[in-house]
Amino acid sequence: MASIKDFRFGIKMEKKLYKHHLKHRYPNVVWNTPIDKWSKFDFTTGKKLIELKSRRYYKKKWDKEGHMCELSKIEYLEEHPEVIGYIYYMYYDGLYRVKISKDILQVGIQKRHGGRTDRGRDERKIQAYIDGKYLKLVSKKIKCPLPPHLSDEC
């Protein structure tokens, strides 16, 4: 369960993705979180399901280990081949996207134990890890803000 601070950060980054990318790319996109914060995917448009993972680090940090996503989202896409699933990752260095296809499901995703423990509880469980080579750069301008200690600005 995300902390209030992390939840608010996620909402802020979803709003950024919606405003600066999705509403231009998909005019009929629906932002699900304000309607139902427990919706399976953050955005929908027709048969497309879109999830955003906002990360407070650089993409290359996890290229070898894999980019984590909740296993339930990947399993949903496996069980519903009639929909098209996109997972967006927003990092300090840009916005990346992976289209979840049959090929990626077979060879580009590992399922293993992982997660985090830094929010006062153990949130580790079986997760999906997407190989970094499948993430495609969407924009270097749309990114998570750097914390003050990493920023070049005063």
Side-chain angles (χ1 to χ4, degrees):
M1 188 73 167
S3 70
I4 298 286
K5 181 181 171 185
D6 289 335
F7 180 74
R8 286 184 180 145
F9 178 77
I11 296 295
K12 186 176 178 181
M13 296 304 102
E14 285 179 17
K15 186 175 185 178
K16 181 185 261 190
L17 176 65
Y18 175 78
K19 182 178 177 182
H20 297 289
H21 179 69
L22 293 180
K23 75 176 187 175
H24 305 292
R25 185 177 176 99
Y26 308 109
N28 297 324
V29 68
V30 175
W31 183 14
N32 296 321
T33 309
I35 300 164
D36 175 11
K37 73 178 185 175
W38 306 113
S39 62
K40 179 63 89 178
F41 287 85
D42 298 326
F43 304 92
T44 54
T45 179
K47 290 194 173 203
K48 292 181 178 80
L49 301 175
I50 300 166
E51 179 69 12
L52 173 64
K53 308 315 293 175
S54 303
R55 303 293 191 231
R56 293 181 180 118
Y57 44 80
Y58 292 93
K59 176 190 175 282
K60 66 182 177 184
K61 180 178 181 178
W62 298 104
D63 274 350
K64 291 181 184 175
E65 305 292 326
H67 300 268
M68 189 171 68
C69 179
E70 267 186 58
L71 182 59
S72 66
K73 297 185 188 303
I74 301 302
E75 288 176 336
Y76 184 88
L77 294 171
E78 284 178 312
E79 294 165 8
H80 296 89
E82 72 279 6
V83 299
I84 300 166
Y86 291 100
I87 311 292
Y88 281 82
Y89 288 88
M90 192 180 297
Y91 296 102
Y92 290 152
D93 54 339
L95 178 67
Y96 295 80
R97 180 181 80 176
V98 60
K99 180 179 179 183
I100 305 301
S101 66
K102 186 183 283 189
D103 292 341
I104 290 175
L105 287 168
Q106 291 174 353
V107 297
I109 299 176
Q110 291 184 5
K111 297 173 185 175
R112 62 181 193 271
H113 195 260
R116 55 192 296 180
T117 59
D118 62 321
R119 297 193 280 210
R121 64 190 158 283
D122 189 347
E123 297 179 54
R124 294 174 294 177
K125 59 186 177 182
I126 300 298
Q127 302 277 5
Y129 290 85
I130 301 170
D131 188 315
K133 70 182 179 185
Y134 294 103
L135 274 66
K136 304 298 180 206
L137 179 64
V138 172
S139 173
K140 287 190 174 191
K141 292 181 180 179
I142 304 170
K143 56 189 173 184
C144 285
L146 285 168
H149 71 279
L150 292 177
S151 178
D152 291 339
E153 300 173 11
C154 293

